Amino acid sequence: MRRLSWFAILVALTLPAQAERAFTVALRPFPDEKAVFATIESANELPARTRIGGTIAQLTVHDGDEVKQGQTVALVSDEKLQLQLRALDAEITGLRAQVAQAQVDYGRAESLSRTGAASRQQFDQARTALDVANSTLAARIAARGVVAQRMSEGAVLAPTDGRVLRVPLTEGSVVLPGEAVATIAEANFVLRLSVPERHAQFIRTGDKVRLDGRDLGAGDKPVFGTITLVYPRISDGRVRADATAPGIGSYFVGGRVRVWINAGERMTYVVPADYIFTRFGLSYVHKRGADGQVLEIPVQRGRDLPTPDMPNGIEILSGLTDGDVLAAP
């Protein structure tokens, strides 16, 4: 029985290479990652402000709602504007009657002037009275337009696409012009990193960052982002930086997640996880020799080092050298 087991192991160690996918091991520079905490924040938080004073008649949004630019978030009502509008409507009605009377007087004066029954002065006075009546009517119509425009400005509009963070007022609240009814987080959410000063020298705009997919509800696969801005100021021994990553828009604003950033480089071997197998607690790879034979080589595994081109990469600390060709188990 023992002879058979040793024979099976010998056969496994001397199997000829088959036409299967292979991976060439190479020592290459790899980012030395450090974990820092980042806060999911909006690039800008914009207030939706009132344009007129009055009383909030209606609120159409609540905390957490998604809004589009130009969407009405609240309606502000001012009863004085309605009274002014009614007064102007009544005044315009009277002015229209004056214009009609001035038009009749002007036509009569024009006819009498042609026959010589009225003087030139009377004709000029009638024409002037008609012009004044028309101008007064036009002024009142313009004033009514101003009041109507102010009434339409009672609609508080969302300044941008995004999510409502706070609505500090309720229906019936008295507001002044320029008062914020809601605070809206702009739709382009970012990861705001707080990087220790000793690591800040290694981060650059355009560098890749890595997030744990479980933190964002994306499963076990890592999520990769990009640093978009490094703030040129050190505060309390830390440097702020902004990064973008897919899937953070549906997360809680202000939530904290771990982010691995580049803190230098080191040379190491990285092998896809599907080329490594474990037996009795030891890790092995299938190494293809120069004569075409496939041998089982024990290796010492390091930590997971996923990259955008190798999401399942694993660091190998010992057991491999440059140029080794691995066959999939």
Side-chain angles (χ1 to χ4, degrees), residues 27-314:
L27 189 66
R28 62 170 180 166
F30 197 87
D32 188 11
E33 295 181 330
K34 299 296 181 182
V36 299
F37 275 103
T39 305
I40 297 178
E41 298 181 6
S42 172
N44 297 296
E45 292 184 6
L46 305 176
R49 298 186 181 275
T50 60
R51 292 174 287 179
I52 64 172
T55 304
I56 295 182
Q58 183 181 4
L59 279 174
T60 59
V61 296
H62 303 281
D63 293 0
D65 288 350
E66 297 285 343
V67 295
K68 297 295 184 181
Q69 184 177 11
Q71 178 179 336
T72 300
V73 300
L75 293 175
V76 178
S77 157
D78 189 353
E79 295 182 358
K80 295 189 300 295
L81 295 179
Q82 188 66 34
L83 295 176
Q84 292 178 11
L85 194 66
R86 293 176 182 175
L88 287 172
D89 285 340
E91 195 171 352
I92 288 173
T93 302
L95 289 174
R96 292 187 189 278
Q98 291 182 10
V99 169
Q101 182 61 45
Q103 185 69 41
V104 172
D105 293 342
Y106 174 75
R108 185 183 300 109
E110 185 180 18
S111 300
L112 294 176
S113 177
R114 290 176 181 174
T115 59
S119 64
R120 183 67 180 180
Q121 181 181 4
Q122 293 175 334
F123 172 73
D124 293 339
Q125 289 176 348
R127 184 173 59 185
T128 302
L130 178 60
D131 293 340
V132 170
N134 284 326
S135 299
T136 305
L137 176 61
R140 290 298 181 269
I141 292 176
R144 186 189 187 282
V146 171
V147 175
Q149 177 63 29
R150 290 191 63 189
M151 291 182 63
S152 66
E153 291 177 354
V156 182
L157 307 179
T160 184
D161 296 350
R163 186 186 302 173
V164 179
L165 295 182
R166 291 184 301 275
V167 182
L169 303 175
T170 60
E171 293 184 4
S173 299
V174 178
V175 293
L176 300 176
E179 191 168 349
V181 173
T183 302
I184 298 173
E186 198 173 7
N188 54 334
F189 295 99
V190 298
L191 290 167
R192 189 142 292 165
L193 290 76
S194 181
V195 183
E197 182 179 353
R198 64 182 180 275
H199 300 323
Q201 58 180 324
F202 299 106
I203 61 174
R204 299 287 186 274
T205 301
D207 287 351
K208 295 295 182 181
V209 297
R210 179 171 61 88
L211 295 86
D212 190 346
R214 290 185 293 269
D215 290 342
L216 299 178
D220 295 332
K221 294 184 178 179
V223 177
F224 294 95
T226 305
I227 293 179
T228 58
L229 177 63
V230 179
Y231 292 89
R233 180 181 179 87
I234 298 177
S235 178
D236 296 331
R238 292 183 173 272
V239 175
R240 288 196 311 158
D242 289 347
T244 59
I248 63 175
S250 58
Y251 205 68
F252 289 106
V253 177
R256 299 181 67 193
V257 294
R258 287 181 303 170
V259 179
W260 280 264
I261 64 170
N262 180 14
E265 286 187 348
R266 57 188 174 88
M267 304 299 291
T268 187
Y269 298 107
V270 181
V271 174
D274 50 0
Y275 283 83
I276 305 173
F277 62 97
T278 302
R279 182 186 299 123
F280 301 116
L282 298 178
S283 298
Y284 295 87
V285 295
H286 281 164
K287 176 182 175 182
R288 184 172 297 171
D291 55 356
Q293 293 181 338
V294 177
L295 305 176
E296 286 187 0
I297 304 296
V299 295
Q300 183 179 357
R301 296 174 51 147
R303 61 173 182 159
D304 294 348
L305 291 179
T307 61
D309 57 340
M310 194 187 302
N312 60 342
I314 295 178

